[in-house]
Amino acid sequence: MMMQACTLASPLGTLLLVSSGGKLTQLIWGADATQPQGIQLPQNDVLEQASEELKAYFFGSKLGFSVPIAPNGTAFQKTVWQALRKLPHGHTTSYGELASRVGNPQGARAVGGAVGANPLPIIIPCHRVLRAGNRLGGFSGGLAIKRKLLRLEAIDWQENA
């Protein structure tokens, strides 16, 4: 299946959006947001929709995403990501709460691994997962980006001690 990509300037820096088979498969940021080998740059409807929805999100006029997605991951990861997509804009959860939601109450560490492997950050809102006690915790894009996303959604948190 042919993969296509586009870049998007954002308040977080350049984002690389990748689609395949009519669905968004990856959102990449930072130093990795460069044109990968073997991926064509022509825009398509999915990339256009994702770009428009992300722009609206960054300007505060979009509270959710409807772009079709197909993240690559294990069955467990996909279950965790689906649960994350149900978390409303401006709300958070903890790794333990998310583990309970996916039927694995002792699996906070496994849920953390799935959250960290999320190939569609922002669209699958892994930034809304906080450590116990509403503490910041880690983030694949770095804590500075996580703070920006939480501020954008008017979410309060505690810095780690």
Side-chain angles (χ1 to χ4, degrees):
M1 215 174 292
M2 183 171 60
M3 292 173 39
Q4 294 179 303
C6 73
T7 57
L8 174 67
S10 84
L12 308 175
T14 300
L15 304 178
L16 178 70
L17 305 174
V18 180
S19 73
S20 180
K23 296 186 178 182
L24 192 66
T25 58
Q26 287 182 283
L27 184 154
I28 303 167
W29 48 31
D32 296 330
T34 58
Q35 185 61 29
Q37 295 293 325
I39 296 180
Q40 297 182 349
L41 263 179
Q43 191 80 335
N44 63 38
D45 290 344
V46 170
L47 295 173
E48 184 67 33
Q49 180 182 353
S51 295
E52 292 305 315
E53 288 184 5
L54 283 162
K55 287 176 195 173
Y57 170 81
F58 289 125
F59 288 102
S61 62
K62 180 83 172 157
L63 302 182
F65 295 93
S66 60
V67 64
I69 64 169
N72 187 24
T74 67
F76 178 73
Q77 289 171 331
K78 289 177 181 180
T79 298
V80 171
W81 300 335
Q82 186 61 32
L84 276 175
R85 288 198 83 194
K86 294 176 182 172
L87 191 61
H89 181 90
H91 292 81
T92 62
T93 190
S94 70
Y95 295 100
E97 290 168 352
L98 191 54
S100 290
R101 256 187 231 142
V102 299
N104 188 359
Q106 301 302 314
R109 191 174 301 268
V111 163
V115 169
N118 176 10
L120 288 167
I122 305 171
I123 292 171
I124 298 173
C126 54
H127 60 280
R128 296 180 189 153
V129 181
L130 300 174
R131 292 174 59 196
N134 211 36
R135 291 178 297 149
L136 196 55
F139 190 61
S140 62
L143 293 182
I145 288 178
K146 185 168 186 165
R147 286 183 190 101
K148 285 181 184 181
L149 292 169
L150 293 173
R151 281 188 201 106
L152 182 68
E153 295 188 27
I155 295 172
D156 291 324
W157 71 90
Q158 300 295 316
E159 289 291 332
N160 293 323

